[in-house]
């Protein structure tokens, strides 16, 4: 049974989901459909965590917008994501960067420990 599920999931996975890791500054290009029009919307920020495996893998991106922290969770293999481009590679020494949530201002974008 697991082989059947794995085969179906493999068909739906993206061939190259993107080479980014926790701590990187990324720009996520998302396809937004409004009525009959489609456009690309960009969400930029720091990857603060990855979770799951296979088709269920997600990543969380955090940015500061008008002094307020904003987080979005994206599925890695979603057809709505056009591409993920890495602006700046970060060096994180842990898997989840939840400590960035308490930081203010420029500290919130600094990943190096």
């Amino acid at each position: 049974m697991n082989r059947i599920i794995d085969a179906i999931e493999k068909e739906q996975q993206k061939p190259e989901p993107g080479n980014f890791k926790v701590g990187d500054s990324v720009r996520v290009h998302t396809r937004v459909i409004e009525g009959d029009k489609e456009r690309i919307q960009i969400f930029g920020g720091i990857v603060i965590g990855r979770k799951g495996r296979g088709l269920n893998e997600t990543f969380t991106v955090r940015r500061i917008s008008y002094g307020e922290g904003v987080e979005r969770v994206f599925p890695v293999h979603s057809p709505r994501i056009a591409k993920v481009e890495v602006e700046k590679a970060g060096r994180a020494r842990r898997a989840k960067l939840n400590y960035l949530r308490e930081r203010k201002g420029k500290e919130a974008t600094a990943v190096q420990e």
Side-chain angles (χ1 to χ4, degrees), residues 65-79:
S65 179
Y66 298 102
E68 196 71 30
V70 179
E71 291 183 10
R72 277 187 73 180
V73 179
F74 296 98
V76 172
H77 297 285
S78 172

Side-chain angles (χ1 to χ4, degrees), residues 43-103:
F43 188 87
I46 297 174
V47 178
I48 64 166
R50 285 183 84 150
K51 180 180 182 180
R53 74 167 194 77
L55 205 57
N56 298 322
E57 188 174 1
T58 60
F59 63 99
T60 306
V61 180
R62 179 179 175 83
R63 76 168 177 205
I64 306 297
S65 179
Y66 298 102
E68 196 71 30
V70 179
E71 291 183 10
R72 277 187 73 180
V73 179
F74 296 98
V76 172
H77 297 285
S78 172
R80 296 256 187 243
I81 294 179
K83 67 178 176 177
V84 178
E85 60 179 279
V86 178
E87 287 182 316
K88 190 172 100 177
R91 202 182 110 240
R93 296 175 64 182
R94 50 191 82 224
K96 302 268 197 289
L97 303 180
N98 293 327
Y99 64 88
L100 291 178
R101 291 176 174 160
E102 289 104 41
R103 295 190 176 182

